[in-house]
Amino acid sequence: MTDLPAGVRAMAGRGPQWAAWIDSLPRMTRDLFAQWRLRPDGPATHGHCSLVLPVRSSDGTPAVLKLSFPDDESEHEHLALRRWGGDGAVRLLSADPHHRALLLERLGDADLTGVPDLEACRIVADLYRQIHIPALPQLRPLTFYVDRWITELAELPRNAPIPHRLVEQALSQYAELRADRDATARVIHCDLHYQNVLTGERQPWLVIDPKPVNGDPHYEIAPMLWNRIDELAGDLREGVRRRFYTLVDAAEFDEDRARAWVVVRMVINAMWAIEDSAGWGYRPAEGEGESEATRGFSTERAEPGWLTTCIAVAKAVQD
């Protein structure tokens, strides 16, 4: 079997649960190769919370074996993928939920980072239509998470380095969003950005790596605004607005609802940026087994100016 990539082994430094998971991977991988009659077909790679192995099935079909850290975000990934059935998303071939193991169709290497941002926004908006299906009873509601984050936001000291009017706005707007039955009406991806869309053979672009919950489709927009933000240097406000309106128009979203979710999401991100005084590096959430990606439904990393970016994006979408 291929040795674990250095990036995977480094995850052991995140804490005892991570170290135990890393230790379990070699045996787990061997067992799954035997169970699904797989053979290696290329070097191992990894995501932020997963080991990814190119494989071939017993009949020679190329596939990918994905093993995820056992946290909230990976618990129900197989349910969403199975329900989507390959419509707009990578096709699930088999799943072992107990081990957070997924056997997936193999997609191309290219993602949307190489596509002009507004064209990529239109592509993602089309994918929204395919994956935003009616809520699944097994999934947690988005409000399960955001309620906790908003409570934390409400306790933020008034002198925190976020404009207080933005904090008050996020609290007020979330209360209105939550009261609407659409707040938990659809299955949403939660972390749909340029790198989580890959080329496919069945259709040109397919979604990967969902953190599915029952939520509001308008919640999805924010990661498309803050990712690739460096490309908007010198034109951040207008660049963010162009992306925002492209997504809203192409997806036929309600502009005010989309704007409110962007503000809520970016202010919460800003709060975490403050709490992570050493940067946006890994920090477990309060719940056992949760990861930072679950906490923010994002794999965004702390870079210099991340707090400023969060505030700038929240302001940019407003008139």
Side-chain angles (χ1 to χ4, degrees):
M1 302 298 296
T2 305
D3 290 338
L4 295 179
V8 173
R9 287 186 274 108
M11 295 178 193
R14 297 174 179 174
Q17 291 179 321
W18 285 87
W21 178 66
I22 300 301
D23 287 344
S24 74
L25 284 176
R27 179 173 181 177
M28 192 188 312
T29 302
R30 288 194 296 270
D31 291 346
L32 289 164
F33 267 57
Q35 176 183 332
W36 286 332
R37 301 174 62 194
L38 305 173
R39 65 177 186 272
D41 191 39
T45 59
H46 63 91
H48 179 64
C49 304
S50 61
L51 170 66
V52 180
L53 297 164
V55 297
R56 286 191 180 267
S57 63
S58 58
D59 63 2
T61 301
V64 166
L65 175 62
K66 178 183 178 183
L67 298 167
S68 296
F69 179 75
D71 59 9
D72 277 8
E73 73 176 30
S74 65
E75 183 178 4
H76 296 138
E77 182 176 357
H78 69 290
L79 295 177
L81 292 175
R82 182 173 289 120
R83 178 62 181 83
W84 288 333
D87 187 10
V90 63
R91 178 169 286 149
L92 177 67
L93 304 178
S94 193
D96 184 337
H98 177 69
H99 293 105
R100 305 294 170 89
L102 304 176
L103 187 64
L104 305 166
E105 73 171 313
R106 194 184 305 178
L107 302 181
D109 294 330
D111 60 31
L112 287 177
T113 56
V115 175
D117 63 343
L118 298 188
E119 180 183 347
C121 286
R122 286 186 282 270
I123 290 169
V124 167
D126 285 340
L127 291 168
Y128 288 159
R129 292 190 177 90
Q130 295 177 270
I131 67 172
H132 290 159
I133 59 175
L136 294 176
Q138 306 96 318
L139 300 184
R140 295 181 182 89
L142 175 63
T143 52
F144 172 83
Y145 296 101
V146 185
D147 283 354
R148 290 185 292 168
W149 305 336
I150 284 292
T151 298
E152 190 177 353
L153 181 65
E155 296 171 352
L156 197 67
R158 192 179 181 90
N159 63 350
I162 305 174
H164 191 66
R165 66 172 183 83
L166 279 181
V167 174
E168 292 296 322
Q169 183 181 0
L171 295 172
S172 173
Q173 289 183 329
Y174 178 64
E176 294 180 8
L177 291 166
R178 193 190 193 289
D180 194 306
R181 64 181 181 181
D182 288 340
T184 57
R186 296 271 166 176
V187 174
I188 62 174
H189 183 289
C190 288
D191 191 26
L192 186 42
H193 56 76
Y194 307 89
Q195 290 180 304
N196 278 343
V197 181
L198 300 181
T199 53
E201 294 184 359
R202 297 181 292 104
Q203 64 182 77
W205 298 100
L206 292 164
V207 168
I208 64 168
D209 200 22
K211 285 78 176 167
V213 298
N214 293 325
D216 182 345
H218 297 77
Y219 183 83
E220 299 274 46
I221 284 183
M224 292 295 292
L225 306 182
W226 80 62
N227 281 276
R228 295 173 60 178
I229 200 75
D230 57 314
E231 297 175 18
L232 304 180
D235 189 30
L236 190 147
R237 181 178 184 275
E238 292 306 313
V240 167
R241 291 172 68 83
R242 285 192 295 270
R243 292 182 184 182
F244 176 80
Y245 286 112
T246 298
L247 286 159
V248 167
D249 292 346
E252 299 181 340
F253 280 172
D254 178 270
E255 180 183 322
D256 291 336
R257 195 171 185 85
R259 180 179 293 111
W261 272 121
V262 171
V263 171
V264 169
R265 202 162 177 181
M266 298 315 300
V267 173
I268 289 172
N269 280 345
M271 173 185 67
W272 291 332
I274 293 169
E275 292 177 353
D276 295 335
S277 58
W280 189 265
Y282 177 79
R283 173 172 55 85
E286 293 177 2
E288 182 177 2
E290 288 186 329
S291 73
E292 68 167 305
T294 299
R295 183 96 186 242
F297 294 121
S298 167
T299 52
E300 186 73 11
R301 284 293 166 275
E303 297 192 2
W306 172 238
L307 172 60
T308 301
T309 295
C310 293
I311 296 170
V313 171
K315 289 181 175 180
V317 298
Q318 303 184 67
D319 294 329

